[in-house]
Amino acid sequence: MTSPSGNTPSEPLRIGIAGIAIESSTFSPHRSTVDDFAVLRGAELLARYPFLTPGSELTEGVEWVPLLQAKAVPGGPVTEETYEQLSTEIYELLRATGPLDGVFVDIHGAMSVVGRTDVEATFVAGIRSIVGPSVLLSASMDLHGNVSRPLAETLDLITCYRKAPHIDAWDTRERAVRNLIARLRSGGRPQKAWVQVPVLLPGEKTSTRIEPAKGIYAQVDEVEAMDGVLDAAIWVGYAWADEPRCQAAVVVSGDDTDVITTQAQRLADAYWDAHERFEFVAPTGTLEECIDQALASTARPFFISDSGDNPTAGGAGDTSWTLDTLLRTPAIVESDLTTIYAAMVDPAVTATAIEAGVGATVSVEVGGKIDSGPCGPVPLTAEVVAVEPAEGIVVLGVGGLRVIVTSRRKPYHLEADFKALGLSPRDADLVIVKIGYLEPELYAMAADWLLGLTPGGVNQDLLSLGHKNIVRPMYPFD
């Protein structure tokens, strides 16, 4: 017997690697272009995966064929030109590489492209049309992705993260690869049971740190361990896109149809039964309420999430409403407190501050140039406290307030990113970050924290956004 590539059992399997990964808020005025993507090809792409280093278990008897994988910080919808450029190159590389046994598809699951719907299903269908029906396709996804029926049907194996925050992202990719190799060597194409759940909630309400998501996702491991089951996965969906596929979904795959069907329904029922019990991962309030509580508290450092413009959920990153509020708060700018705000995207301001140099005073208008809805550009006269010309990042100081301004959209999840600018979040009084739930390093650092319900392209008030294309009825909209 030979494999789809024509290899005999003694010859290596040939497996391609390809993908386009981004989380896109259709409510953000930002548009994601090729410049927003880190594009890896060939050996550089293969080196991205620590479990595929030469000599590792998953390289034995496998010829890996790294094609192209493009990954971007979440943002607004991808332009048609960008999607066409990236997908066309992937398809051309697939045609040129010769027969494959399988393809590892590394995607996010919540990419939106201007003028299209369900673009991941379209993208995977394009791969299928080139490699043919006998090649196995295995995808790893973010649990904040969306799984339409066409996507679930086109892929042979599909799995997603089981933790939010996503501390298991690389484990998930490895599982997708491991399952693919195992099924190519024995077992072949598994059966899949797919169930959608009419619930669409933000990640800040479905964190696996707390119940009910913690307990629901614990059941995933129980199901996967059952005889006849290969993999189990629950997607909470992506709340800031307005497409019919946007809702929670469950996929259980394996060889026992009765078991996978029963268990997929079990997980879907568990999610639905809990839909009214999901709560924010931290206490919430308006920004003003959060600032007042932080100032009154003795917990230091005290973190506040500027959640409405979280760039890792698709926010533009330059919504200036929070900065304007901070500058109008005397207890922030006219006191001995140290407050760090991370971060504002504004290439022009960054260039001005870098040219002026450390110690100079600059008068600029910051932010509100991509997403001007909540607040336009904010006038700011400040001292240039730090510059990183190579990275295009500066720190501007007004009294005790330190504002990080970047030339490109950048999340601040790691302590090292602050320290590189001479800032010490551990020693600060307040740290306000454009983020939703705190990522692990920040969570461990925070003496206390609040989730600020701020405006922006990923506003937590879903009902105010104006979804028109989701399937109704849908909780919490109905």
Side-chain angles (χ1 to χ4, degrees):
M1 183 177 109
T2 59
S3 66
S5 67
N7 294 342
T8 65
S10 62
E11 295 178 309
L13 297 168
R14 296 192 80 232
I15 302 177
I17 304 173
I20 307 172
I22 185 174
E23 191 175 52
S24 306
S25 168
T26 61
F27 299 102
S28 171
H30 176 261
R31 292 294 178 265
S32 299
T33 68
V34 170
D35 291 340
D36 291 298
F37 285 85
V39 181
L40 300 179
R41 304 172 179 84
E44 192 178 21
L45 172 55
L46 191 62
R48 164 175 159 80
Y49 304 98
F51 48 84
L52 295 182
T53 55
S56 63
E57 176 191 355
L58 297 178
T59 63
E60 293 180 8
V62 180
E63 178 192 350
W64 285 99
V65 185
L67 302 170
L68 182 154
Q69 204 273 342
K71 183 180 186 301
V73 171
V78 177
T79 64
E80 172 69 16
E81 295 77 12
T82 295
Y83 173 72
E84 280 295 317
Q85 179 179 330
L86 294 173
S87 61
T88 297
E89 183 175 349
I90 289 171
Y91 296 155
E92 289 174 348
L93 290 168
L94 277 168
R95 292 187 185 97
T97 197
L100 296 169
D101 297 294
V103 180
F104 167 45
V105 185
D106 189 351
I107 57 178
H108 180 284
M111 174 169 63
S112 288
V113 173
V114 177
R116 294 177 179 252
T117 58
D118 202 5
V119 72
E120 272 103 353
T122 302
F123 172 64
V124 172
I127 294 175
R128 173 65 73 197
S129 69
I130 295 168
V131 301
S134 61
V135 174
L136 295 190
L137 307 182
S138 178
S140 69
M141 295 173 62
D142 191 304
L143 62 82
H144 297 126
N146 305 290
V147 183
S148 67
R149 182 167 188 142
L151 179 62
E153 288 181 336
T154 306
L155 291 164
D156 300 297
L157 301 98
I158 180 171
T159 193
C160 72
Y161 308 160
R162 297 169 182 173
K163 301 290 184 183
H166 307 318
I167 57 175
D168 64 332
W170 289 102
D171 294 337
T172 301
R173 294 184 179 97
E174 182 175 350
R175 183 170 65 253
V177 165
R178 188 177 298 278
N179 286 345
L180 175 59
I181 293 172
R183 300 306 291 211
L184 285 171
R185 287 180 173 154
S186 64
R189 181 173 282 113
Q191 300 296 312
K192 298 187 297 295
W194 167 84
V195 187
Q196 284 187 311
V197 187
V199 176
L200 186 60
L201 293 170
E204 285 67 34
K205 281 192 172 181
T206 50
S207 171
T208 59
R209 278 186 182 140
I210 61 173
E211 298 293 350
K214 183 177 181 180
I216 294 170
Y217 273 86
Q219 295 182 48
V220 172
D221 293 327
E222 297 172 7
V223 172
E224 187 182 70
M226 293 180 177
D227 291 339
V229 175
L230 174 66
D231 188 84
I234 302 173
W235 287 259
V236 304
Y238 180 62
W240 294 292
D242 188 17
E243 295 190 32
R245 62 180 172 145
C246 295
Q247 58 183 293
V250 172
V251 178
V252 179
S253 58
D255 299 308
D256 189 318
T257 303
D258 290 340
V259 171
I260 65 172
T261 302
T262 300
Q263 296 307 315
Q265 192 62 54
R266 166 194 168 183
L267 295 176
D269 287 345
Y271 199 88
W272 173 254
D273 291 345
H275 73 275
E276 292 183 323
R277 294 192 289 115
F278 287 102
E279 297 180 349
F280 283 115
V281 69
T284 63
T286 65
L287 182 63
E288 291 87 347
E289 290 169 343
C290 291
I291 291 173
D292 287 345
Q293 286 186 242
L295 293 174
S297 172
T298 58
R300 296 291 184 263
F302 197 112
F303 276 70
I304 299 173
S305 293
D306 180 6
S307 66
D309 192 36
N310 173 12
T312 57
D318 87 326
T319 299
S320 53
W321 189 86
T322 294
L323 176 60
D324 184 62
T325 301
L326 292 173
L327 292 171
R328 294 175 185 274
T329 305
I332 296 291
V333 294
E334 298 176 11
S335 74
D336 295 330
L337 297 179
T338 299
T339 302
I340 299 173
Y341 182 42
M344 294 291 298
V345 180
D346 196 317
V349 169
T350 303
T352 297
I354 290 174
E355 182 177 359
V358 173
T361 297
V362 294
S363 293
V364 291
E365 293 192 336
V366 184
K369 296 161 188 172
I370 302 170
D371 188 352
S372 60
C375 181
V378 174
L380 174 64
T381 298
E383 178 189 356
V384 180
V385 176
V387 299
E388 283 289 339
E391 299 294 327
I393 301 173
V394 302
V395 178
L396 301 181
V398 181
L401 175 64
R402 298 292 180 265
V403 181
I404 301 173
V405 187
T406 64
S407 57
R408 295 174 62 89
R409 297 166 65 255
K410 175 181 170 60
Y412 275 79
H413 294 170
L414 305 175
E415 184 175 8
D417 291 334
F418 291 89
K419 285 188 169 293
L421 300 168
L423 300 175
S424 177
R426 291 182 186 274
D427 298 322
D429 294 290
L430 277 65
V431 183
I432 297 100
V433 186
K434 287 185 183 289
I435 198 171
Y437 50 64
L438 294 185
E439 293 295 323
E441 279 195 26
L442 304 186
Y443 183 73
M445 189 189 308
D448 200 354
W449 75 289
L450 294 169
L451 184 73
L453 301 179
T454 54
V458 289
N459 191 330
Q460 298 289 334
D461 183 5
L462 301 185
L463 274 62
S464 72
L465 293 174
H467 289 77
K468 294 183 176 65
N469 299 308
I470 56 174
V471 176
R472 306 292 287 267
M474 176 84 67
Y475 181 84
F477 302 90
D478 303 290

